């Protein structure tokens, strides 16, 4: 029997510390090799089983977020086969390369599994390539088109600043603007990193192959990266996903907050975070 008690879920932002595009399938989807982590900022959801699905969107980033069947949270309830009353308290910018919609949908699937005692039906990748990794949000290597997930041992505490300059970049356009889809993968085996500095050093040998095309489509992303790279506390700055959100890694929360305070620009979303 499904419980009608509301279930609360947190939908953390997903960050691609690296994102190698290593090939293209015959259906047009790209093969990826990516190191994915999750932030301590995200959206908050309340999910209650119901006789029909209803979505209400609240919170500081609610503007423009659909509250109907176009929203991935609605599709997630359909996928689960359980109508639900969903309140989505939105903090993350949309179409931002940090998996907001996918993480929200994954949170609905977790909440419905909890409320009904049933397991999440397979095939969640049909809801989006980023969805499977968001179901159990923890550091992972992501391969295939997003469906092959290898969880990683816990990473050292990594502090970072997330910066979104307020432009939405359409993922299909970024993939279409890639110069080459055939790029080398990450190293076959990933090492263990004792601290953030070692991880940042290792990441310098990796890439986000979507960064150059996104910078061409939205040059402000290049400005964000230049500003982040100039900060003395910044170990590494890169774009996440297909953008436009960028991150700068640093060693302490205080340093992340110092960068955030210095870089703030009206209209930009700037957020100090801890990544796990
Ligand atoms: O699956 P998702 O909705 O995130 O993907 C958006 C678009 O990004 C896809 O329609 C496709 O054009 C592109 N994409 C891709 N290869 C991937 C993931 C996404 O080409 N692995």
């Amino acid at each position: 029997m499904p419980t009608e008690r509301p279930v609360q879920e947190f939908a953390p932002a997903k960050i691609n510390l690296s994102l190698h595009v290593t090939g293209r399938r015959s259906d047009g989807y790209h093969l990826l090799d990516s190191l994915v982590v999750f932030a301590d900022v995200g959206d908050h959801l309340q999910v209650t089983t119901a006789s029909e699905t209803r979505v209400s969107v609240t919170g500081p980033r609610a503007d423009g977020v659909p509250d109907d069947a176009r929203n991935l949270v609605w599709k997630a309830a359909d996928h689960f086969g359980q109508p639900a009353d969903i309140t989505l308290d939105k903090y993350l910018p949309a179409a931002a390369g940090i998996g907001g919609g996918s993480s929200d949908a994954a949170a609905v699937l977790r909440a419905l599994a909890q409320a009904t005692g049933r397991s999440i039906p397979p095939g969640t990748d049909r809801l989006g390539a980023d969805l499977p990794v968001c179901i159990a949000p923890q550091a992972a290597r992501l391969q295939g088109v997003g469906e092959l997930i290898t969880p990683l041992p816990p990473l050292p505490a990594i502090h970072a600043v997330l910066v979104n300059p307020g432009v939405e970049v359409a993922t299909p356009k970024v993939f279409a603007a890639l110069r080459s889809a055939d790029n080398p993968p990450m190293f076959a085996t990933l090492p263990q990193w004792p601290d953030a500095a070692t991880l940042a050093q290792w990441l310098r040998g990796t890439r986000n192959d979507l960064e150059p095309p996104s910078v061409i489509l939205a040059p402000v992303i290049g400005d964000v990266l230049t500003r982040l790279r100039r900060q003395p506390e910044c170990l590494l700055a890169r774009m996440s996903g297909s953008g436009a959100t960028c991150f700068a890694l640093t060693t302490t929360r205080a340093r992340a907050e110092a960068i955030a305070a210095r870089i703030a620009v009206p209209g930009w979303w700037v957020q100090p975070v801890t990544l796990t």
Side-chain angles (χ1 to χ4, degrees), residues 21 23-24 27-32 72 102 125-131 142 144-147 170-173 175-176 242:
V21 179
R24 191 157 187 252
D27 65 359
Y29 266 75
H30 291 80
L31 298 172
L32 310 174
L72 263 189
S102 302
D125 55 326
R126 284 198 292 272
L127 294 170
D130 266 345
L131 209 119
L142 182 132
V145 296
E147 80 291 5
T171 305
K173 278 196 183 157
F175 275 106
S242 55

